[in-house]
Amino acid sequence: MNLFSELSLLSQRLLFVAVCLLVLACSNASDDYDITGEHHNLDSELRVLIIGNSYATDGTAYLAELMNAADLNLMQIGFYQAIIGGGGLQEWIDVYEKNETKTYARVAGKLEMKNKGTLGEVLAQQWDVVVFLHTSSKSYKWETFEGNIDKLLAIIRNSCPNPRLRVAYAMPWGHTATSTPKELEGNIACARRLAEDYGVEIIPVGVAVQNARNTSMCDEHYLTRDNWHLAYGVGRYVAACTWYEALISPFAHHTVVGNSANHPITSKEAAEAAQGARPVDDTNRILCQRCAFYAVKDVFSVRTDIESLK
């Protein structure tokens, strides 16, 4: 090998090492947000089925707005949802065992799925993620999961043919100022047990909402509109950001932080809101997104310093 060839080979090796070091440095960025300007196709299609209650509606109400602002290919994404008022594990087990027919409304994305039938029929599709919820007044008491959680997970995992199916649990938030500490601790403990003992992924909405309650965005209603459900505007927006960060960001390779979607309070929301409605605008949008980002980053830890982070 002549000197020119050796130098050329050395240059190629040095360039390869430099590229590897650059990639490693980017991947090891500490608390910085991996915001990219290229928001287009996902790695693959994302089909999500949600079986829950009104807390699922709170969590996904603004999800489509975030997806639209991110310029995602909506033909690759489908979020379908059915709710039972106050429903939890037992109620959805009953739906399955009684072969009740339900319509599972598409709440975000444009990917078409069969959305009407018994729970068994709807589950028998190539879902990527199935999300379940529990009754919020029971979700911080593990004894209310016992027995039912094994049965519901068996129904989901045995009915869906996708071998890579992910099952997720949307952790709820505490209701009011007096009950929040007890409920929050219990919600986190139950979610941790679901993750560690049952292999369930956690969408930490309760932690994200508590992060937001630990900022100047919190009011005397604790970001709720009726002491239970999330307030229109900031409350629901934080929840939607959490769903986005947990389920969409891993596929799209960008975080929700930096998403340009605001949410002004609509006339319908203003007419319905008993309390707490607060618009999402340029003054609080990023703070809402950070509350979700850090919740998903560490699903069992509440932060009190998010407002001070740069």
Side-chain angles (χ1 to χ4, degrees):
M1 181 180 294
N2 59 38
L3 179 60
F4 179 79
S5 297
E6 290 178 352
L7 289 174
S8 177
L9 181 59
L10 178 61
S11 297
Q12 292 176 29
R13 288 174 175 171
L14 289 173
L15 178 60
F16 175 76
V17 170
V19 170
C20 290
L21 289 173
L22 179 60
V23 170
L24 182 62
C26 291
S27 65
N28 286 338
S30 58
D31 275 348
D32 293 336
Y33 313 108
D34 181 18
I35 304 171
T36 122
E38 297 298 326
H39 299 170
H40 298 293
N41 290 335
L42 303 178
D43 283 344
S44 60
E45 293 179 332
L46 179 59
R47 307 170 181 86
V48 180
L49 177 66
I50 305 158
I51 54 174
N53 49 48
S54 57
Y55 275 37
T57 302
D58 273 352
T60 61
Y62 303 163
L63 191 57
E65 298 172 34
L66 293 168
M67 289 166 55
N68 290 336
D71 192 29
L72 297 173
N73 181 353
L74 300 182
M75 299 303 297
Q76 290 183 290
I77 308 171
F79 278 71
Y80 288 81
Q81 174 176 286
I83 64 171
I84 300 172
L89 309 187
Q90 182 60 61
E91 287 73 20
W92 280 103
I93 292 170
D94 291 343
V95 167
Y96 177 82
E97 292 181 341
K98 295 176 182 178
N99 287 321
E100 293 182 18
T101 296
K102 283 187 172 292
T103 297
Y104 297 76
R106 189 172 63 201
V107 295
K110 295 183 178 180
L111 193 154
E112 296 284 349
M113 299 289 285
K114 172 183 171 65
N115 70 331
K116 186 174 183 179
T118 67
L119 179 56
E121 291 170 340
V122 173
L123 278 169
Q125 300 179 87
Q126 291 292 330
W127 299 103
D128 299 292
V129 186
V130 174
V131 183
F132 69 94
L133 288 82
H134 194 23
T135 308
S136 62
S137 60
K138 300 178 180 178
S139 60
Y140 59 97
K141 305 170 185 175
W142 181 253
E143 61 269 21
T144 69
F145 286 83
E146 291 177 337
N148 288 332
I149 186 59
D150 296 271
K151 187 176 291 188
L152 183 61
L153 289 177
I155 289 170
I156 294 170
R157 288 169 171 159
N158 292 336
S159 299
C160 181
N162 185 355
R164 298 184 183 88
L165 174 70
R166 299 157 53 200
V167 181
Y169 171 67
M171 181 204 304
W173 49 93
H175 298 141
T176 62
T178 55
S179 64
T180 291
K182 177 181 68 174
E183 291 184 10
L184 178 65
E185 292 171 6
N187 282 333
I188 291 174
C190 290
R192 184 188 295 274
R193 193 158 178 180
L194 288 173
E196 294 177 352
D197 295 350
Y198 294 89
V200 171
E201 298 182 22
I202 306 301
I203 304 172
V205 184
V207 171
V209 169
Q210 193 63 35
N211 285 347
R213 286 171 170 170
N214 290 334
T215 71
S216 59
M217 295 188 296
C218 188
D219 58 16
E220 66 272 25
H221 307 298
Y222 284 74
L223 301 180
T224 69
R225 63 183 185 273
D226 56 8
N227 297 326
W228 291 72
H229 300 89
L230 292 177
Y232 296 127
V234 166
R236 280 187 160 190
Y237 189 88
V238 169
C241 287
T242 312
W243 281 75
Y244 190 105
E245 188 71 22
L247 297 183
I248 297 176
S249 290
F251 282 80
H253 300 297
H254 65 259
T255 176
V256 73
V257 180
N259 189 292
S260 62
N262 287 331
H263 184 85
I265 301 301
T266 67
S267 57
K268 181 179 179 182
E269 288 175 336
E272 293 178 356
Q275 61 190 30
R278 182 176 178 180
V280 178
D281 54 32
D282 291 345
T283 68
N284 57 17
R285 180 184 69 246
I286 295 296
L287 182 55
C288 290
Q289 295 167 357
R290 286 176 176 172
C291 290
F293 174 87
Y294 283 105
V296 175
K297 187 179 179 67
D298 187 351
V299 298
F300 305 123
S301 298
V302 173
R303 299 285 293 256
T304 59
D305 61 344
I306 291 177
E307 203 155 16
S308 65
L309 299 175
K310 301 298 183 183

